[in-house]
Amino acid sequence: MPIRKKKSVPQRLIQQRPPLTPMASPLTRQEVQRLQTHMRKHGPHSLTPRQHDAIWDFLFNLPESHAWLSDMVHQTHAAQAGLRPRTKIEA
């Protein structure tokens, strides 16, 4: 059986992208969608920490986010209560 030579393939160097164009502050829904689209296309490191924080702040201030968070808290409390051993009084 012949021995195969190892191919020498140069690895792509990861270069940090320049930050996206300056964002409008405070963020609008369109601005958040623009930043999220850019992040999905170029990766999470393509946005600055300030842009990440601005997206999270915008999403946290939405009423549906508060409804979702409170629902998740209720589910977590119910799951934790289900893991506790029951006492004779509860049974």
Side-chain angles (χ1 to χ4, degrees):
M1 201 158 158
I3 299 173
R4 290 186 181 176
K5 291 168 70 174
K6 289 187 178 180
K7 292 183 179 179
S8 175
V9 180
Q11 297 297 315
R12 239 172 91 182
L13 295 176
I14 298 175
Q15 297 176 352
Q16 193 153 19
R17 293 183 174 275
L20 191 59
T21 57
M23 64 180 180
S25 188
L27 291 183
T28 61
R29 188 173 293 274
Q30 290 79 20
E31 183 74 6
V32 168
Q33 288 173 346
R34 182 180 77 88
L35 291 171
Q36 287 177 324
T37 302
H38 181 84
M39 185 174 62
R40 285 187 192 105
K41 185 176 180 183
H42 300 291
H45 296 292
S46 64
L47 298 181
T48 64
R50 187 171 159 263
Q51 289 170 327
H52 277 286
D53 293 344
I55 290 172
W56 280 108
D57 291 342
F58 176 84
L59 294 174
F60 183 73
N61 288 331
L62 295 176
E64 55 264 30
S65 294
H66 287 280
W68 182 83
L69 283 171
S70 83
D71 185 48
M72 294 308 294
V73 167
H74 290 304
Q75 287 183 28
T76 303
H77 285 246
Q80 288 173 347
L83 294 174
R84 288 190 201 108
R86 295 172 66 180
T87 62
K88 290 183 180 180
I89 299 171
E90 292 176 15

